[in-house]
Amino acid sequence: MDGGVGRAGRVACAAAVLLVSAAFVVPRLATERWRDSIYAAAAPIFGHWYPHVGWGTVPALAIAAAVVLHGPALAARLSWPRLLLATWGTAFAWAFALAMVDGWKRGFTRRLTSGHEYLYEVPGVHDIPAMVRGFADRILDYQPDSWTTHVSGHPPGALLVFVWLDRIGLGGGAWAALVCVLAGTSATAAVLVAIRALGAPGRARAAAPYLALAPAAIWIAVSADALFAGVTAWAVALLAVATDPRRTRPGLAALSGLLFGFGLFLNYGLVLMAIPALFVLAVRGLPGVRAALPALAAVVTVVAAFAAAGFWWVDGYHLVVERYYQGIATTRPWTYWVWGNLAATVCAVGLAAVAALPLVFRGLRLPDPRALADGRGAAAVLANSTAALRVWRTRLDPAAVLAVGGLVALLAADLSGLSKAETERIWLPFEIWVLAGTALLPRGSARGWLAVQAGGALVLAHLLMTNW
């Protein structure tokens, strides 16, 4: 379909379809030994082929139809608070319905209870300060007390969240799953808040249905990375609100910094969330940078607090890299996953986000010099690079800026070589921002693109049994 995106959009979609097709087909044409080295039976998706239907099939179809038919119109006319709640609520219902395709236990309550997950270690944490102090000593594998896979691969903050839930009486897989899905789907509202705060309320409304119906919901329900996405999405959103030069909010900036800082102790890779944050500050300019100083101070405070408690982030990171290569990362071929990861990302963000990319990059393009002149002559303005940059910055499309911020962070993670497989889940904190670019799709084609998004998610949910 064209969908009003033009030739560049059609080319982007065609390339994405070829990429995903190749990523699914190549492993099946390869030798059995090479295929086994990938360690993903349904590569590029981490899971296995299992065509099935479930209790969530009919609700998922109904939610998809409702959003396709009525989402754009409702997004345009709802009051702002109701739009945020409706987007979050719909995203939650969509994610939950897709999880129920796999069943209550297999799709929801048992997702976080396997021997590789965080909840497996919760009963053994009797002394939280001692756990934090000794956390790094248990990261490397082949020790009697090595942490389980997911705990060892993340800083102690991730395990702490589930320990805290257990301490307040919300222990077990069902509560953990509920918290992760609520936090992960709240990221949809955070993206809308950020776009609006940067001066584009119309773009926020246009993006709402796409965020609510994102294929990424398959991995939001249920994975701990959904929680990570929610925490860091609100960090970016609060930063966008706090740095408004017309009314800076130091308190919100500090809260944003606390969330960014805690994000560093949820997942080492979330250090890359500095990239979307910098893109926000690029829109705000120097006044915004000054307004963000409380956020930086708060980040330093969180890092210092964990260091004082006995865990130094840098030491943990180096140990995790060593642990990473103690496992299947040594056999998973980077030559496949460096592009297979991107195919998995296309599955998570959908073709609508891909079709929007040419429009996104157009939204970052330097305006015509004659427009910059503003009656004073192009040469006079362009001679002053500071003035030219200032004019360019004021004309940036906020949705495009945020989408590129997420995309750059995602590409940096890919090129690091520390992301081989499972990125449809691991990159949720970046993917949610790539979806902001859907705000630039032509309004008249919204129903068609939403149908494409929903169709892709439903096919994946019913053909594959994902591991998360």
Side-chain angles (χ1 to χ4, degrees):
M1 64 178 291
D2 182 291
V5 297
R7 182 174 182 274
R10 295 195 300 273
V11 170
C13 283
V17 170
L18 287 174
L19 176 70
V20 172
S21 300
F24 275 111
V25 170
V26 166
R28 284 143 193 86
L29 298 178
T31 64
E32 183 177 354
R33 180 178 179 182
W34 188 87
R35 185 166 57 249
D36 290 344
S37 72
I38 290 176
Y39 281 97
I45 302 300
F46 192 59
H48 58 274
W49 294 97
Y50 183 70
H52 63 293
V53 295
W55 291 107
T57 298
V58 173
L61 288 168
I63 293 166
V67 176
V68 169
L69 294 174
H70 305 294
L74 283 173
R77 70 169 184 263
L78 286 175
S79 67
W80 181 247
R82 288 182 178 179
L83 176 63
L84 293 180
L85 288 174
T87 303
W88 184 4
T90 304
F92 179 88
W94 174 239
F96 186 74
L98 291 175
M100 289 303 99
V101 172
D102 297 342
W104 171 249
K105 292 181 178 179
R106 186 167 52 183
F108 195 75
T109 63
R110 291 181 180 173
R111 287 291 195 185
L112 299 172
T113 60
S114 76
H116 299 291
E117 284 282 2
Y118 304 94
L119 294 185
Y120 180 83
E121 298 284 8
V122 168
V125 180
H126 305 291
D127 184 333
I128 291 177
M131 181 273 286
V132 175
R133 283 195 306 272
F135 191 87
D137 296 334
R138 300 175 61 183
I139 291 175
L140 294 181
D141 205 355
Y142 308 117
Q143 305 177 86
D145 61 348
S146 294
W147 293 117
T148 190
T149 305
H150 278 195
V151 175
S152 68
H154 295 77
L159 178 59
L160 274 175
V161 170
F162 297 104
V163 171
W164 289 334
L165 285 176
D166 184 71
R167 294 290 195 274
I168 63 174
L170 302 180
W175 282 114
L178 180 62
V179 169
C180 288
V181 178
L182 283 171
T185 52
S186 78
T188 60
V191 173
L192 301 187
V193 168
I195 297 173
R196 184 175 188 259
L198 293 176
R203 293 294 197 208
R205 290 182 178 276
Y210 294 100
L211 287 161
L213 208 59
I218 295 172
W219 298 280
I220 287 176
V222 180
S223 72
D225 295 88
L227 170 68
F228 309 160
V231 170
T232 52
W234 282 107
V236 174
L238 292 177
L239 182 67
V241 174
T243 55
D244 187 337
R246 296 167 298 181
R247 184 188 174 192
T248 58
R249 296 174 172 86
L252 283 183
L255 179 56
S256 169
L258 290 176
L259 292 177
F260 273 121
F262 191 61
L264 292 175
F265 293 89
L266 293 174
N267 185 327
Y268 294 102
L270 292 181
V271 68
L272 294 175
M273 286 305 297
I275 295 174
L278 289 174
F279 274 70
V280 168
L281 296 181
V283 176
R284 291 302 193 201
L286 188 58
V289 173
R290 287 195 292 265
L293 291 178
L296 180 60
V299 171
V300 172
T301 299
V302 174
V303 174
F306 270 94
F311 179 81
W312 179 233
W313 189 93
V314 176
D315 291 342
Y317 171 77
H318 288 302
L319 288 167
V320 161
V321 172
E322 187 175 346
R323 168 73 184 245
Y324 184 68
Y325 289 108
Q326 285 182 310
I328 58 178
T330 56
T331 60
R332 276 178 167 164
W334 188 78
T335 52
Y336 170 79
W337 285 113
V338 69
W339 57 275
N341 288 339
L342 300 180
T345 299
V346 171
C347 293
V349 300
L351 285 178
V354 175
L357 285 179
L359 302 173
V360 164
F361 290 117
R362 195 179 305 164
L364 300 182
R365 191 169 57 192
L366 188 71
D368 190 297
R370 290 168 294 182
L372 285 177
D374 196 24
R376 294 176 291 165
V381 176
L382 292 176
N384 187 332
S385 59
T386 302
L389 181 61
R390 183 167 60 248
V391 173
W392 173 71
R393 180 175 54 77
T394 60
R395 298 189 183 188
L396 287 172
D397 189 298
V401 170
L402 292 169
V404 172
L407 181 62
V408 172
L410 185 152
L411 292 174
D414 193 30
L415 294 175
S416 73
L418 297 176
S419 294
K420 290 190 287 189
E422 308 174 49
T423 52
E424 63 275 14
R425 165 185 62 85
I426 298 169
W427 290 350
L428 282 172
F430 312 137
E431 291 163 351
I432 197 70
W433 294 104
V434 175
L435 283 160
T438 56
L440 281 71
L441 291 171
R443 303 292 174 89
S445 64
R447 283 184 174 179
W449 284 117
L450 286 167
V452 170
Q453 295 290 88
L458 289 167
V459 167
L460 287 171
H462 287 85
L463 287 184
L464 299 175
M465 180 65 68
T466 61
N467 287 54
W468 319 107

